[in-house]
Amino acid sequence: MSRATNFPKLSRSLSICFLLLITINAQAQRAKSSHQQGLKDAYKKYFPIGVAVALRNLHGDEAQLIKTQFNSITAENAMKMAAIQPKEGVFYWKDADSIISFAVKNGIKVRGHNLCWHEQTPDWIFKGADGKAVTKTVLLQRLKTHITRVVNRYKGKIYAWDVVNEAIDDNPNHFLRDSKWYQICGEDFIAKAFEYAHAADPVAKLYYNDYNTERPEKREQIYRLLKSLKDKGVPVDGVGFQAHWSLQEPDESALRSAIERYSSLGLKIQITELDLSIYPWEISKRMKRPDESDVFTAELENRQVAKYAMVFKVFREYKNVITNVTFWNISDRYSWLNEFPVMGRKNYPLLFDRNLQPKKAYWEVINFKNQ
Ligand code: XIL
C-alpha cells in the first residue's frame, strides 16, 4: 500500500489515541478530585471537622487520611500539663511543636487541649518543697505561669483552647469535682484559668470542656457554672461537648435541649471528642470479662449508623452555634476506648475501620441533602 492511501488510517488511529488519552486523563482527574473530597469538604458550609492525633499518626496512611478528611486537629495527649511541664520550669515542647508544624504545613486548624484538668497533671504543681500542699496563692501563680507559657508559644496558631476540663462532679448532689485544684483554690481556679488564657492570647476562643453535657442533671450544673462565669464577666466563649457517646445516649431531644440551654447564654458550642461507643457508658476502670463479646455485629453497626446520622443532622441544624466537630481518634484501628474503661475490650466507635476504609456510618454522615 502507498503512503497516500495509509494516511487517513493513520490519522484515524491518532485521533482515537488522542480521544482515549483525554478520557483517561478526565477519569484520573475525577478520581483524584473525588479522592480529595472528604468530611471537611462535605461540611465546608457548616463547621471544621477535626480529629485528635498523636505523633505516630502524622506519617504514612493515617497522615494521608487526615489530610483528605479533616481540616482541624487536636493533640490527643501532647499538650496536656503533665506532657508539657513534667517538672517545674522544665518544658517539653517537641511533640506539641511537631503537631503544630504538621497543621501549619497542611493548612489545618488546631484546637488546644487542655490547660487545666484534674488528670494528666503533674503532682509537683500541688506540692511545696516540704511535700505538703501549696497555698492557693502559689498554686494560682503556677497555673498562671503554665498557661501563659503554653498559650503564648502557640499564639496565632491555636484558634481555640479547652481551658478548663471536667470541673463538674459526676455526683449531682455536689457541684464542683473535689479535685486538688478545688481543694486548694475553691472555685476561683476556673475563672482565673480563663483570665490567664485570655491575657496571653486575646484572640483565641476559650472553652469549658466536659462529658455527659446532655444528661439533664449534669447539664444544669454546667449551665450554672457557665452562667456564673458569664455574670462575672469571665472571658469564656463556649462549651465543649466531649461527646463520648454511645448507642444508648444521648437521644435527639436531650442533644437539642443541651444545645439550646447553653447557647441561650450566648455561648458557642464545639463537639470536641466525638466517638460513638458500641457499649453502654461506664466510667470505672475494669478488665474485660471472659464472657463479654466484643464483636461488631451487623445489628450494632446499623444502630451506630442511625446514631451518627441523627447527631450530624442535629449538628447541621445548629450550624450557627456549633463551630467545630472533632473526632477523638482517626479510625477503629486505634481508639482510646480499646483501653478505657474496659481494658482489652475492642470498640468500634469511629467512621473509619481498621484498614482506614470508610464505614457505613461515614456515607451516612457525608451524603446528606442540604439543609
Ligand atoms: C485520653 C486519651 O485519648 C488517652 O490516650 C489517654 O490515655 C487518656 O486521655 N477526656 C479528655 C481527653 O478530655 O483528654 C481524654 O483523652 C479522654 C477523655
Side-chain angles (χ1 to χ4, degrees), residues 76-77 80 113 117 120 165-166 242 273 328 334 336:
E76 183 181 5
N77 290 300
K80 292 173 182 172
H113 177 82
W117 191 21
Q120 289 176 264
N165 203 28
E166 305 179 351
Q242 287 189 4
E273 306 182 15
W328 206 247
Y334 166 80
W336 75 297

Side-chain angles (χ1 to χ4, degrees), residues 254-271:
L255 177 55
R256 283 176 188 279
S257 305
I259 296 172
E260 301 268 348
R261 187 75 169 138
Y262 302 123
S263 62
S264 74
L265 289 169
L267 294 170
K268 295 291 185 201
I269 289 164
Q270 300 204 334
I271 309 298

